[in-house]
Amino acid sequence: MRHIERHRTQHIGWLRASVLGANDGIVSTASLIVGIAAAHSSMANILMTGVAGLVAGAMSMAAGEYVSVHSQADTERADLARERAELEADPVAERRELTAIYTGRGLKPALAREVAEQLMAHDAIGAHARDELGISEIATARPLQAAWASAGSFAVGAVLPLAVAALAPAQGLVFWIAGMSLLFLALLGAVAARVGGAVPWIGAWRVTFWGALAMAATAGVGSLFGAVV
C-alpha cells in the first residue's frame, strides 16, 4: 500500500490568506469602531461605520489578494514558458544545469547526471520548475482561492467586534470592544499557530500585541480629534 503523509505546507495557500483576512477584519474594524466611539459618536454612526468598514475591507482584501497573487502566477507562467523554450533549444545544456543543481545538493556527479536524465525523460519541465525555479504544486499561486479565503475570513473577523458594539452597553463601549477584540485575536493567533504547527501562545501573543497597538492608536486619534460625528 502507498504510504500517505499529510503535511501542513499543503494548507499554506488558503491558511495564509485566511489568517491575514480574519486578523485584518478584527483589527481594522475594532480599531475603526474604537476610534469613532472615542470621538463620542452616536451608536447609529458607530454601527454604520462598522458595517461600511466590513464591506469595504472585505472587497479590498479580495481585490488585493487577487491582484498580488495573480502577479505571482503571471511571473510563474512567464518563467515556465522561458524554460520550455530553453528545453527545446538546448536540452543538453539544460540537463547539465540540472545535473549541477543535484551535485550542489550532495549527489555524486555520476548519480546526479543519471537522476537528471531520468527526471527529464519523465517530466522535463516539471523537474526544472521544481528544482531550478522553485515552483511546486503546493506553493503554486492560486489567485481566486486567495481572494475568496481572504475576503470571507475578513468578513467573519469584522463581524465579531461589530456584534460586540451592537450588544455591549453604551457605557464603557470602548473597553468592551477592545477587550473582546483582543480575546478574539488571541484565539485566532492560537488556532492559526496550532494549524500551522507552531506554539499556540506565541501566535496568540503576536497578533494580540499588534492588535492592541492598532486600537490604542485609533482610540488616541479619536480622543484627540473628538468632535461628535
Side-chain angles (χ1 to χ4, degrees):
M1 294 180 63
R2 182 184 176 188
H3 177 58
I4 299 177
E5 294 183 350
R6 296 184 181 276
H7 297 284
R8 289 183 169 88
T9 51
Q10 295 171 345
H11 310 310
I12 197 168
W14 64 263
L15 180 61
R16 181 197 64 82
S18 297
V19 172
L20 175 64
N23 180 80
D24 200 21
I26 296 172
V27 173
S28 62
T29 306
S31 299
L32 187 62
I33 294 174
V34 166
I36 295 296
H40 310 293
S41 299
S42 67
M43 181 57 68
N45 282 336
I46 291 173
L47 294 177
M48 180 180 65
T49 301
V51 172
L54 185 157
V55 175
M59 295 303 297
S60 176
M61 290 295 291
E65 281 289 327
Y66 183 82
V67 170
S68 63
V69 177
H70 213 295
S71 296
Q72 178 187 339
D74 290 342
T75 302
E76 290 176 356
R77 281 195 293 269
D79 279 345
L80 289 173
R82 178 180 178 181
E83 199 63 33
R84 287 190 183 93
E86 291 175 351
L87 282 167
E88 292 178 3
D90 195 349
V92 175
E94 290 300 302
R95 187 179 299 111
R96 286 198 301 266
E97 188 176 28
L98 207 56
T99 300
I101 291 173
Y102 296 144
T103 302
R105 292 179 181 175
L107 295 183
K108 293 181 179 180
L111 180 58
R113 189 179 309 110
E114 182 180 354
V115 170
E117 289 175 356
Q118 292 191 21
L119 287 179
M120 288 186 65
H122 173 68
D123 181 9
I125 188 62
H128 282 270
R130 180 179 58 254
D131 296 319
E132 181 184 350
L133 303 177
I135 300 174
S136 66
E137 183 179 351
I138 293 176
T140 298
R142 296 179 175 86
L144 286 176
Q145 181 192 66
W148 281 109
S150 185
S153 58
F154 181 98
V156 172
V159 163
L160 298 176
L162 193 56
V164 174
L167 299 174
Q171 190 70 24
L173 181 62
V174 170
F175 298 103
W176 273 99
I177 296 171
M180 292 302 297
S181 296
L182 291 176
L183 176 62
F184 297 145
L185 286 171
L187 291 173
L188 171 65
V191 170
R194 182 73 180 84
V195 173
V199 180
W201 73 264
I202 294 179
W205 161 251
R206 186 165 50 222
V207 297
T208 303
F209 171 78
W210 289 106
L213 193 64
M215 283 184 276
T218 51
V221 171
S223 298
L224 184 63
F225 301 99
V228 176
V229 179

